[in-house]
Amino acid sequence: MYNIFIKIIKIIIKSSPVNILLRGLTIILNSVIPPTMTFLLGKITLSLTSNEKLDLVFFLSVYILICFFWNLLSRYISIRSQKSNDKIVLSLREYMIDLQQKIPNDILECPDFIRVRERADIFLNTYALRYLSSTERLITIGLTLVSYSLIFWKINPLFIIIVVGASLPGFFCRAKYVPEMRRMYEELQENRSYQGWYKNSLTDKNSLKEIRLWGLEKEFYAKYRGLTELILKRQRGHYYRHGFIGGGIESLSFGLGLGTSLICGVLFLQAGIIQVDGLVIIINSIIDVQDTFISSFYNILSYKESSLYAKDLLEIENIASCGLANFEKPNLNKSVVEFHNVFYHYPSINKNALDNISIRIKHGEKVAIVGENGSGKTTFCKLLLGLYSPISGKVCIDNSVEFTVTFQDYCRYDLTIRDNISLGKIEYQNDVLKINEKMILSGFKETFEKMNLNLETELGTVTGKGINLSGGEWQKLAITRCFFNDANNRVIVLDEPHASLDPIAEADLYKYYFSLINNEQETVVFVTHRLSSANLCDRILVFDSGKIVEDGSHQELMKLKGHYYKLFSAQKKHFE
């Protein structure tokens, strides 16, 4: 945990150097001033009883001045710290984003990594500042106990023994019950997850319509209520043991410590072993010292808990240190991309998603990628785009190529229509003529005019003012974004681009595909299940179990009467 602590300190120094000084000053003030105030209070009492007026005025003045400036300084530090903490959180978030940009896409999509990232997000949002605060409190507690120990030692070392002895029962109670509480929360985690799922199902608009149609509302609520009662029962049992038993032992030890200290203090005062200031110091500080000693356990646990989440940030940092794949980008002359004996499998899965792929796609070539679900089509496209790196083999991308893509799981950006389209080529976001031209090509222009929209219309539900489009309309918008990037040497990758489109919109989109296919300068890679559109291309790659099993034109593959022939015939029969 030393590494992550140093990392956070470096980020703090970079984002807000003043914060380090403020935190250091806070530690010193909070650990030294309370014992000092107690010491001065004892001296004020001694001056009163001994009628030392000069000493009384001096110690009283010092006491008042410290109270005033401590209060003033504490308020100032609190305000400045809040401002600095905001900067720290932003800097940590920026650091996390920088790390994610260095991580390969296949790892980002891995379920194990997603869980690590979620825990790292919890650390950044909740535990990062708590981690620092726990460290500060532990240092403050240590210095405070040292300060009080020096005062007690000067009065009489016996009081140190009394305080420690009286604090140990409460310390051990917390050592027993606090970890037990954490174990209870861990054991109830699955129940909490199902409790949250049933609650969300009863309130989510998408699931609620089915639940109502099937008459499951009472059944789901009964499940939710049963889990809630189970969780509350476990919690009540723990709170009873911790609150009554543990709290009782802690209170008893507090009382014994205070009582023993008072009795010893009075006896020592009568015997002349200590003066009246020593008794006043003991009375005013004994409870505070015991509570400080016992509370150190909570801070140790908080520090340990924060450290567990900090490990996830370190893990992400280690993954990011490997960096993104460096694809070779030579001048391929007539080719846009070449695969040489490429193997690939997803993280934590040993089975190859792509198995010994060697292929060359030429400039201006129109290539259809077909095959059954799970055959490797989309994985091939992601390596083609440089999103994944091969396990072995080599992917070479021509240095002049610029990709533009529409995925079947396209993004729905909760931004304006202008932003949604111009993200394809952000430098042309003010080119209204170009935006309109691409909307016409994708078929989104009809929706745009029919719904009386404008380019500044907000989409989505983030602000509550946005327009929510249908699935097909969102897909048209994604296709518009893809078309908006019309670089001279572009490669258009279309991954099931008409999965959500109605037949008329699909037919209109085919008109544009024909124009692309007839344009010798355009390179198109077209992933589809609809083989009637694949035969528009001059080359078809047939995938099966991660391998390219057939490669040729529609006519050539139909003559082979192999895998493609079976797929095409089955689909044709279905539509007859």
Side-chain angles (χ1 to χ4, degrees):
M1 286 303 98
Y2 174 78
N3 289 338
I4 193 64
F5 182 75
I6 295 299
K7 178 65 68 178
I8 292 175
I9 292 297
K10 287 181 179 177
I11 291 173
I12 292 173
I13 292 172
K14 185 179 178 181
S15 64
S16 179
V18 176
N19 195 275
I20 292 292
L21 296 175
L22 290 176
R23 290 179 182 276
L25 185 59
T26 302
I27 289 171
I28 293 170
L29 291 175
N30 289 339
S31 57
V32 173
I33 287 182
T36 302
M37 300 292 283
T38 303
F39 175 78
L40 289 172
L41 194 61
K43 291 301 180 183
I44 290 168
T45 306
L46 181 62
S47 301
L48 280 170
T49 56
S50 60
N51 202 25
E52 295 287 343
K53 293 182 180 180
L54 288 175
D55 288 349
L56 176 62
V57 171
F58 173 75
F59 287 119
L60 196 58
S61 300
V62 173
Y63 186 89
I64 292 170
L65 283 172
I66 290 176
C67 281
F68 174 75
F69 284 108
W70 185 30
N71 183 271
L72 196 66
L73 197 58
S74 295
R75 289 177 183 274
Y76 172 76
I77 290 173
S78 176
I79 294 169
R80 285 299 302 266
S81 293
Q82 184 58 52
K83 185 177 178 181
S84 298
N85 287 345
D86 293 339
K87 287 184 178 179
I88 292 168
V89 171
L90 285 173
S91 296
L92 287 168
R93 178 59 56 194
E94 184 180 349
Y95 175 67
M96 180 69 164
I97 292 171
D98 288 341
L99 287 180
Q100 283 201 178
Q101 290 176 345
K102 299 174 185 176
I103 296 173
N105 279 68
D106 50 354
I107 294 178
L108 285 175
E109 297 169 3
C110 178
D112 290 338
F113 177 81
I114 290 172
R115 285 190 287 271
V116 170
R117 188 184 63 200
E118 287 173 349
R119 291 195 297 268
D121 283 336
I122 292 172
F123 173 75
L124 294 177
N125 295 330
T126 306
Y127 289 98
L129 293 177
R130 188 184 296 181
Y131 181 76
L132 283 174
S133 299
S134 298
T135 306
E136 290 170 18
R137 284 196 295 269
L138 285 172
I139 296 171
T140 302
I141 287 169
L143 292 174
T144 302
L145 292 175
V146 169
S147 300
Y148 275 120
S149 296
L150 292 172
I151 295 172
F152 285 0
W153 183 270
K154 187 176 180 181
I155 298 170
N156 194 294
L158 179 63
F159 290 108
I160 298 176
I161 298 172
I162 293 171
V163 169
V164 173
S167 302
L168 284 175
F171 184 88
F172 287 125
C173 278
R174 295 195 187 189
K176 172 179 172 57
Y177 288 112
V178 173
E180 183 183 294
M181 179 179 68
R182 294 180 189 278
R183 284 195 299 272
M184 176 191 70
Y185 276 109
E186 289 174 2
E187 290 168 3
L188 290 173
Q189 185 60 47
E190 184 176 329
N191 289 326
R192 286 180 182 279
S193 297
Y194 274 113
Q195 179 198 35
W197 182 82
Y198 279 113
K199 180 183 177 182
N200 291 335
S201 297
L202 287 166
T203 55
D204 180 71
K205 63 178 183 179
N206 294 320
S207 58
L208 187 58
K209 58 187 178 185
E210 287 194 11
I211 291 171
R212 284 187 172 178
L213 284 171
W214 294 334
L216 293 173
E217 281 182 290
K218 290 184 178 180
E219 178 72 20
F220 271 48
Y221 181 74
K223 295 279 188 182
Y224 168 76
R225 180 169 182 149
L227 288 166
T228 303
E229 289 175 350
L230 175 66
I231 292 167
L232 291 175
K233 184 178 179 180
R234 282 287 306 275
Q235 289 178 344
R236 283 194 296 268
H238 170 78
Y239 295 148
Y240 173 80
R241 292 192 301 277
H242 180 52
F244 286 95
I245 300 174
I249 293 172
E250 194 173 306
S251 299
L252 183 62
S253 65
F254 258 54
L256 287 173
L258 179 61
T260 305
S261 298
L262 287 174
I263 292 169
C264 290
V266 171
L267 292 175
F268 287 172
L269 181 64
Q270 290 175 344
I273 298 174
I274 63 172
Q275 293 181 305
V276 69
D277 63 328
L279 181 61
V280 171
I281 291 170
I282 293 299
I283 292 171
N284 279 279
S285 61
I286 189 71
I287 294 178
D288 185 41
V289 173
Q290 287 186 97
D291 190 51
T292 301
F293 184 81
I294 293 172
S295 68
S296 64
F297 187 78
Y298 273 130
N299 286 283
I300 291 169
L301 283 178
S302 180
Y303 179 82
K304 288 177 67 178
E305 183 180 29
S306 301
S307 299
L308 291 174
Y309 285 97
K311 287 180 180 177
D312 296 306
L313 185 61
L314 276 180
E315 186 174 343
I316 291 175
E317 190 178 50
N318 292 333
I319 294 170
S321 65
C322 299
L324 295 171
N326 291 318
F327 289 91
E328 292 188 22
K329 290 197 172 183
N331 185 348
L332 297 178
N333 294 320
K334 294 183 179 180
S335 300
V336 293
V337 66
E338 294 179 359
F339 280 59
H340 299 283
N341 305 112
V342 170
F343 289 81
Y344 176 80
H345 64 76
Y346 287 91
S348 73
I349 299 176
N350 293 325
K351 184 181 177 181
N352 284 330
L354 293 180
D355 192 350
N356 197 21
I357 301 296
S358 293
I359 198 72
R360 181 184 180 193
I361 298 176
K362 299 175 184 177
H363 279 283
E365 197 168 23
K366 315 303 184 287
V367 181
I369 311 293
V370 303
E372 298 175 67
N373 289 333
S375 60
K377 303 186 300 298
T378 298
T379 304
F380 172 80
C381 283
K382 289 185 176 179
L383 270 90
L384 171 74
L385 293 164
L387 296 176
Y388 293 175
S389 55
I391 301 300
S392 64
K394 187 166 61 174
V395 177
C396 300
I397 300 171
D398 186 70
N399 56 17
S400 64
V401 162
E402 188 171 332
F403 286 103
T404 181
V405 62
T406 297
F407 289 113
Q408 57 180 315
D409 51 348
Y410 51 87
C411 286
R412 303 184 179 194
Y413 296 102
D414 285 5
L415 302 170
T416 64
I417 291 176
R418 181 193 299 274
D419 290 335
N420 264 277
I421 295 170
S422 63
L423 287 173
K425 198 75 172 177
I426 197 70
E427 56 265 38
Y428 294 113
Q429 62 179 341
N430 295 320
D431 191 338
V432 177
L433 289 176
K434 184 174 180 178
I435 291 174
N436 278 300
E437 176 192 344
K438 304 308 177 185
M439 284 198 295
I440 292 169
L441 290 174
S442 68
F444 185 72
K445 184 69 174 179
E446 184 180 346
T447 300
F448 185 82
E449 293 175 346
K450 186 177 180 181
M451 296 181 68
N452 197 25
L453 305 175
N454 61 70
L455 293 180
E456 307 310 320
T457 301
E458 291 183 18
L459 301 178
T461 57
V462 169
T463 63
K465 299 182 294 182
I467 303 295
N468 207 4
L469 303 175
S470 68
E473 289 161 346
W474 275 111
Q475 188 160 31
K476 289 178 189 177
L477 194 59
I479 295 167
T480 309
R481 183 165 56 248
C482 172
F483 292 167
F484 195 68
N485 183 357
D486 54 4
N488 291 330
N489 199 20
R490 66 175 177 174
V491 176
I492 302 172
V493 180
L494 302 167
D495 184 6
E496 296 290 354
H498 36 52
S500 300
L501 300 182
D502 59 63
I504 295 174
E506 184 179 346
D508 290 339
L509 193 59
Y510 274 127
K511 294 176 183 177
Y512 182 63
Y513 291 161
F514 276 119
S515 70
L516 289 175
I517 289 166
N518 293 326
N519 185 343
E520 294 181 359
Q521 299 302 315
E522 298 281 11
T523 305
V524 182
V525 177
F526 186 34
V527 181
T528 183
H529 282 101
R530 305 187 187 185
L531 303 187
S532 57
S533 57
N535 66 13
L536 298 174
C537 298
D538 46 34
R539 185 180 180 191
I540 300 170
L541 302 179
V542 184
F543 277 76
D544 184 42
S545 301
K547 297 180 180 180
I548 297 177
V549 293
E550 292 175 6
D551 179 0
S553 66
H554 172 73
Q555 291 77 13
E556 290 170 345
L557 297 183
M558 289 300 287
K559 287 178 182 178
L560 286 176
K561 294 194 175 181
H563 200 81
Y564 177 80
Y565 175 84
K566 291 178 182 177
L567 292 173
F568 188 87
S569 299
Q571 201 167 96
K572 183 180 178 182
K573 183 179 179 181
H574 178 73
F575 285 104
E576 286 178 348

